[in-house]
Amino acid sequence: MEKTEQLSRRNMLMKAGLAIGGAVSAGVLAGCTDKVVEEKIVEVPAEPVDPGPQPSQFPYAQHIAASYQLDVAAVKEAAYQNFFAGGCCHGAYSALLGHLASTVGQPFTLLPMDFGKFGGGGVAGYGSICGSALGATLLINMVVADPAPDQPKRNPMITELLRWYENFAFPAYLPVAVNAGEAGATLDYSAANLVNIQKVPGSHLCHASLSSFCAKNGVAANGKDKAARCARVTADVAGKAAELINDYLANRPLVATGRDTASTACVQCHTAATTSAPAVASGMACVTCHTDKATNHP
Amino acid sequence: MEKTEQLSRRNMLMKAGLAIGGAVSAGVLAGCTDKVVEEKIVEVPAEPVDPGPQPSQFPYAQHIAASYQLDVAAVKEAAYQNFFAGGCCHGAYSALLGHLASTVGQPFTLLPMDFGKFGGGGVAGYGSICGSALGATLLINMVVADPAPDQPKRNPMITELLRWYENFAFPAYLPVAVNAGEAGATLDYSAANLVNIQKVPGSHLCHASLSSFCAKNGVAANGKDKAARCARVTADVAGKAAELINDYLANRPLVATGRDTASTACVQCHTAATTSAPAVASGMACVTCHTDKATNHP
């Protein structure tokens, strides 16, 4: 038997995932004599290849090390930059997913990075839930496991993200590198001037959030100032979601933003259970839209 | 050499993914004589196992046969039933995903069926975008590929779903089997009486959609009538999304619902580009929320 054939057979045996006692294999490989050499082949099952965490193994906190924390600053900058490659929902979604993919690995690496592009402008430009809030919500939903049915974690985190959004003076983020996509913006987004252009939206809806900012600052809702503002909002929101996820992973308690005073009064009569006044099931601020109910009501 | 050892070695060879000429292997397996039998082991690489379509290969229209159509009736009933297992977003999401998983296969089988549970009650109960509309939107987004940058398909389909929702008299679905989860509902959801309780929401938001239905019918927003109504809404919306996806897959043109007359007038002044009136970027009906602008404006 030539050496090449020996090697071929050895390769074959190795590929079979079998372990063979050294002396026996030597006997086999050395060639046979007039008697069949004693051989005992002990079959050891090949180690099944572990495919790693899969997208179906949901939610994904189970695949994240207990000590893991997202780098909030990195997420924010990525969200700002990615806004210019697919809008607000894509910015938040891809920044958070991309960060988890590069720092945690599977199953985040197995998911499509472009999934969030539909959500820009409040879901396909419809002015609904702010796309960055939706993209961030999708990532919170991916990660967070409720520890028990009576101990919900996921929905309170999402509610907190949306209520924080309503009450936050956008935009606040200062990009590490200003993206060329906002060239031509007319407002001053410097640290010194941000306070003069910021607007608390009072709503998590794209339409109200963007329109109120534009109205305050006298800018259009589809130009470079819109881009500059919404890219920074995307960074702010993705960063907030990263902080919420970090708190969750580290078992730090959720500190919930309280409901605003006016809305708290509204839902004293307009409960979800009432039939005497129109029943309301909502976590949103009320008078942002129901402006006519802010005074002389009921 | 005993038979068990022969089988053991044959198994080993088979597991190695190697093809060996029948005569040669017979010689090997028959045991050696005083001379090494001629043997030529020809290594044939194992066929790589095709893992099939993966979640990262997005969007998923590429994995669906050209002639494929969803069974709209099956999707509706599944959405209605699944509502009771996780809410409106889960109902629509899991009905559409489950139907695609069972009729198309991968990558839909590789995705978590419970992903939509966060969206109930307008995203974690916040009253935002109707969860069934969001769940259906996520599935449209999964499937639809824009043929070219200047030929968008996905976003117009999502916009159409939301605008159809605004204008549809909910609920319309008649369950094949009424779910026990709505036992105790007080309204009459029979085919003969539906017209008396239906309400056109004028909004795609859970809060406005649900509250206006409850106000019309004098029922609570958190009881069995809410469940009965929203389960049927979930079926209606999932069915509409299935129809839209079917049209897309069959290359039938999208027939878009026109914007309502009042909103069409609003956005003549409140364009996205204006700076003379508050700029508005929104596809929503305007006066559903801006009731004070319906008359004597500007």
Side-chain angles (χ1 to χ4, degrees):
Chain A
M1 186 184 293
E2 293 182 12
K3 192 175 180 186
T4 51
E5 287 176 331
Q6 290 180 19
L7 286 174
S8 174
R9 195 188 284 189
R10 184 186 294 275
N11 284 343
M12 179 181 77
L13 293 170
M14 291 177 70
K15 283 182 180 174
L18 298 175
I20 301 170
V24 172
S25 67
V28 171
L29 295 170
C32 298
T33 62
D34 58 343
K35 295 180 70 176
V36 174
V37 296
E38 181 185 7
E39 61 177 297
K40 288 183 181 170
I41 296 177
V42 181
E43 187 166 340
V44 178
E47 284 286 322
V49 178
D50 181 358
Q54 296 298 303
S56 60
Q57 295 170 309
F58 168 86
Y60 303 146
Q62 62 187 303
H63 311 301
I64 301 176
S67 61
Y68 176 82
Q69 295 276 279
L70 294 97
D71 180 337
V72 176
V75 167
K76 284 184 174 183
E77 181 68 10
Y80 166 82
Q81 299 294 345
N82 291 5
F83 169 90
F84 296 95
C88 52
C89 185
H90 173 70
Y93 185 93
S94 64
L96 287 159
L97 180 61
H99 189 70
L100 288 162
S102 63
T103 55
V104 174
Q106 287 184 216
F108 301 104
T109 51
L110 304 179
L111 296 166
M113 206 61 73
D114 286 344
F115 189 86
K117 288 185 174 177
F118 76 99
V123 185
Y126 209 66
S128 184
I129 181 173
C130 166
S132 67
L134 178 56
T137 291
L138 291 173
L139 263 293
I140 290 174
N141 180 54
M142 264 188 210
V143 170
V144 176
D146 290 333
D150 60 342
Q151 292 177 284
K153 294 266 187 181
R154 180 195 64 209
N155 280 15
M157 285 172 65
I158 296 171
T159 296
E160 174 56 22
L161 181 74
L162 299 178
R163 189 162 289 152
W164 164 86
Y165 183 106
E166 282 182 2
N167 292 281
F168 191 75
F170 288 110
Y173 186 62
L174 296 168
V176 175
V178 172
N179 191 289
E182 65 173 67
T186 61
L187 300 177
D188 177 2
Y189 297 88
S190 69
N193 192 59
L194 268 183
V195 67
N196 297 316
I197 63 172
Q198 286 170 335
K199 182 79 177 74
V200 176
S203 169
H204 75 288
L205 298 176
C206 164
H207 160 54
S209 177
L210 174 60
S211 294
S212 62
F213 173 85
C214 293
K216 169 174 177 169
N217 293 294
V219 295
N222 64 352
K224 293 298 184 181
D225 280 297
K226 185 265 188 188
R229 180 264 185 187
C230 290
R232 287 165 174 76
V233 170
T234 301
D236 290 329
V237 173
K240 178 66 179 179
E243 291 173 355
L244 288 168
I245 294 171
N246 279 346
D247 286 346
Y248 162 78
L249 292 173
N251 277 316
R252 289 186 289 268
L254 179 70
V255 181
T257 302
R259 199 159 191 172
D260 64 285
T261 307
S263 300
T264 302
C266 296
V267 296
Q268 285 183 344
C269 296
H270 295 282
T271 67
T274 186
T275 55
S276 58
V280 170
S282 165
M284 295 187 277
C286 301
V287 295
T288 304
C289 296
H290 297 287
T291 51
D292 56 331
K293 303 293 192 300
T295 54
N296 302 320
H297 174 81
Chain B
M1 188 185 293
E2 293 181 13
K3 192 175 182 186
T4 52
E5 285 176 332
Q6 289 181 19
L7 287 174
S8 175
R9 195 188 284 189
R10 185 186 293 275
N11 283 344
M12 177 180 80
L13 293 169
M14 291 176 70
K15 285 184 178 173
L18 298 174
I20 301 171
V24 171
S25 66
V28 171
L29 293 169
C32 298
T33 62
D34 59 342
K35 294 180 71 176
V36 174
V37 298
E38 182 185 8
E39 59 177 299
K40 287 182 182 171
I41 297 177
V42 181
E43 188 166 340
V44 178
E47 285 286 319
V49 177
D50 181 358
Q54 296 297 303
S56 59
Q57 296 169 310
F58 169 87
Y60 302 147
Q62 63 187 302
H63 312 300
I64 301 176
S67 61
Y68 176 82
Q69 294 276 279
L70 292 96
D71 179 339
V72 175
V75 167
K76 283 184 174 182
E77 181 68 10
Y80 166 81
Q81 299 294 346
N82 291 4
F83 169 90
F84 295 96
C88 52
C89 185
H90 172 70
Y93 185 93
S94 64
L96 288 159
L97 180 60
H99 189 70
L100 288 161
S102 64
T103 56
V104 174
Q106 286 183 219
F108 301 104
T109 51
L110 304 178
L111 295 167
M113 207 60 73
D114 286 345
F115 190 85
K117 288 185 173 176
F118 77 98
V123 185
Y126 209 67
S128 184
I129 181 173
C130 166
S132 67
L134 178 56
T137 290
L138 292 173
L139 263 293
I140 291 173
N141 180 54
M142 264 187 211
V143 170
V144 178
D146 291 333
D150 60 342
Q151 292 177 283
K153 295 266 188 180
R154 180 195 63 209
N155 280 14
M157 284 172 64
I158 296 172
T159 295
E160 174 55 22
L161 181 74
L162 299 178
R163 190 163 288 152
W164 165 86
Y165 183 106
E166 282 182 2
N167 292 281
F168 190 76
F170 289 110
Y173 185 62
L174 296 169
V176 175
V178 173
N179 191 289
E182 66 174 65
T186 62
L187 300 177
D188 177 1
Y189 298 88
S190 69
N193 192 59
L194 268 184
V195 67
N196 297 316
I197 63 172
Q198 286 170 333
K199 181 79 177 74
V200 176
S203 168
H204 76 289
L205 299 176
C206 165
H207 160 53
S209 177
L210 174 59
S211 294
S212 62
F213 173 85
C214 293
K216 170 175 176 169
N217 293 293
V219 295
N222 64 352
K224 293 298 184 181
D225 279 298
K226 185 263 187 188
R229 180 264 184 186
C230 290
R232 287 166 173 75
V233 170
T234 301
D236 291 328
V237 174
K240 179 65 179 180
E243 291 172 356
L244 288 168
I245 294 172
N246 280 346
D247 286 346
Y248 161 79
L249 292 172
N251 278 316
R252 289 187 289 269
L254 178 70
V255 181
T257 301
R259 200 161 190 170
D260 65 285
T261 308
S263 300
T264 302
C266 295
V267 297
Q268 286 183 343
C269 296
H270 295 281
T271 67
T274 187
T275 55
S276 58
V280 170
S282 167
M284 296 187 277
C286 300
V287 295
T288 303
C289 295
H290 296 287
T291 51
D292 57 329
K293 303 294 192 299
T295 54
N296 302 319
H297 174 82

